[in-house]
Amino acid sequence: MFIEQEFHLWKMTYDLVLNKGFQVLHMNTQAGEVWLEKQYKRKNHVVRMKHKQINWRSEWKRDLEITLTQLNQNKQLFRGAKVVFHSIYISEHPPVDDWEDVSEITSSFKTTTELYYLHDENKREGTAKFYDHLGLTPMEETGDRDADQKEAAIPQLQRQIVAHHERKKQEVQELFGNGKPFVTYLLLAVNVALFLLLEWAGGSTNVETLIEYGAKFNPAIMEGEWWRLVTSMFLHIGLIHLMMNMLALYYIGTAVERIYGSWRYIIIYLLAGVFGSVASFMLNPQVSAGASGAIFGLFGALLYFGVWNRRLFFQTMGWNLLFIIGLNIAFGLFVPQIDNGAHMGGLIGGFIAAAISQLPKQKRPGLRTVSVLVFAAALGAMVLLGWNGTFNGGQVFSEVQKTQELNEQGEFQEVIDRTTDALEAPDLYEAELLFNRSYAYFQEGETALAEKDLNKVVDLAPEMAEAHYNLALLYEEQGDIEKAASHAREAAHLVPGNEDFHRFYQELNQ
């Protein structure tokens, strides 16, 4: 009887959706077909139930092929776990042909397929088999009902399923509607305004200007200027650096602010930025600046969102976000100028900061307390390691900074003595020490020694434009215009915005 099968279809759907946590993917009440999905035990279980009488194997094969093709065309909905497809047919009579072996039909599709045919004679056993296969508690029996009662119950079941589905859709929409991106726009404006201020004050690529206006500078931080861990988040070195970071901030920031709301967003941005700055302090002794650490913190906040909303995460941004993070990390490993410490620190700090601020309506005080403790402990450990120079060669770098200051003060012989001692164990800073000594040699009239040091510098650090420029000056003084022009050209190529480099190169070619 038609009503019997239709009632069983919607009773199962009602139980799976309202009691077992399945999501409705598609529902056609006229055709008697429902698609459901649930991520369960690290697998995406997709259930297709259809009220349909199938008698012949050829008819079955055609229907399964169409169904599996539809599933494969929409596999982006089920990323993040292996897909198991359950095809359930509900009919009055059993099929004429054998139906249990479907390997010849499903073998060409890379999806595990389970087949159930529920007819009036095996309906209870087949349904129990399906529930048992998924490890679910069987649905409760509804008691004896006559055909009229079942027919009346069908539209009620459908309405409740639809209402539940609409509530779930509304909850998903609310996840992305917790705030408008006002703070993101404000951050964009502040970063651009400070970049223009740097350009006006002496240039955003000028190291002295960067240090004066708050870039991360380890010696100054160790002297008590801890505010640089915050101010460096809002400064950028060159127009390309600014544009890349602002583009990322616009796209990632608006998404995070809509998910977390403006106040949580501010907390995540600042905590992640500081965490990234401290990681840079621990790992990178160079002068650095930029919003990259905070922006990577926003990536971390999206990953935290994905932990608690795995299905929605992979349906929307998941794999694309993971690809972008991986690409940026790989890019940073091959480009030496990129501050990988700030990036990785920001990513980790953003994840922890998201656990501290938590998602709207998420109430896990224990998790928040643990996250605060982890954040504080990690921050303290990084400060200690950075202060001791465990990973950043801090002692040698301090010698680089000191001898640079002595050169500016005209203490050239002391520079020569100190750099010569430091070069016995130069760590990562052999090129910088040699460069400082070459300048002192040049000022002391030891041009042959200066030339020797500078040639070694460009071998060790061919990207150091100042070394090429000084070699060009030295060769020009010696009358070797060809070598002077070659190094002047390289210096101008490495720093296109430096007018001194370009002017000197042009003079040599006149």
Side-chain angles (χ1 to χ4, degrees), residues 381-401:
M382 289 192 297
V383 168
L384 183 62
L385 292 170
W387 192 280
N388 293 332
T390 304
F391 298 113
N392 61 19
Q395 298 300 323
V396 179
F397 185 73
S398 296
E399 199 64 25
V400 172
Q401 296 294 326

Side-chain angles (χ1 to χ4, degrees), residues 10-189:
W10 294 111
K11 186 176 69 169
M12 275 188 70
T13 303
Y14 176 92
D15 182 64
L16 291 172
V17 173
L18 274 76
N19 299 329
K20 303 302 191 296
F22 277 77
Q23 302 291 324
V24 177
L25 298 175
H26 171 73
M27 188 169 73
N28 188 331
T29 57
Q30 298 300 318
E33 182 174 3
V34 181
W35 286 69
L36 308 175
E37 184 265 343
K38 180 180 181 180
Q39 198 167 95
Y40 182 68
K41 293 184 178 179
R42 298 185 179 180
K43 294 179 181 178
N44 272 319
H45 291 275
V46 180
V47 178
R48 181 248 197 177
M49 292 189 289
K50 187 170 180 63
H51 179 192
K52 184 179 180 68
Q53 177 69 45
I54 294 181
N55 291 315
W56 307 105
R57 192 172 185 81
S58 58
E59 183 183 1
W60 206 333
K61 179 178 180 181
R62 184 168 61 252
D63 185 78
L64 261 182
E65 286 176 343
I66 293 171
T67 304
L68 287 168
T69 300
Q70 290 175 332
L71 179 67
N72 285 336
Q73 288 173 347
N74 293 278
K75 268 200 170 179
Q76 71 275 7
L77 297 174
F78 315 116
R79 291 177 176 178
K82 180 182 178 182
V83 175
V84 179
F85 180 57
H86 304 265
S87 184
I88 303 175
Y89 296 92
I90 301 175
S91 71
E92 183 177 0
H93 303 290
V96 176
D97 279 350
D98 175 62
W99 59 272
E100 293 192 1
D101 182 11
V102 295
S103 57
E104 67 175 87
I105 302 173
T106 61
S107 59
S108 59
F109 294 92
K110 297 179 180 179
T111 302
T112 302
T113 303
E114 301 292 341
L115 189 63
Y116 309 85
Y117 198 99
L118 311 182
H119 52 84
D120 287 356
E121 296 177 13
N122 79 334
K123 188 163 49 185
R124 180 172 295 184
E125 294 81 2
T127 303
K129 177 184 176 183
F130 165 73
Y131 276 79
D132 184 64
H133 195 134
L134 270 69
L136 300 174
T137 304
M139 65 178 178
E140 295 181 4
E141 294 296 329
T142 54
D144 293 332
R145 296 188 184 185
D146 59 30
D148 290 339
Q149 290 175 323
K150 290 180 179 179
E151 185 174 10
I154 289 171
Q156 295 178 13
L157 292 170
Q158 292 173 344
R159 283 194 296 270
Q160 292 181 69
I161 294 165
V162 170
H164 180 83
H165 179 54
E166 291 300 320
R167 285 196 302 271
K168 289 296 182 181
K169 284 174 61 178
Q170 183 63 32
E171 289 174 7
V172 169
Q173 291 174 358
E174 289 175 357
L175 286 175
F176 295 94
N178 292 298
K180 295 183 178 180
F182 296 130
V183 175
T184 299
Y185 297 149
L186 177 62
L187 289 171
L188 289 168

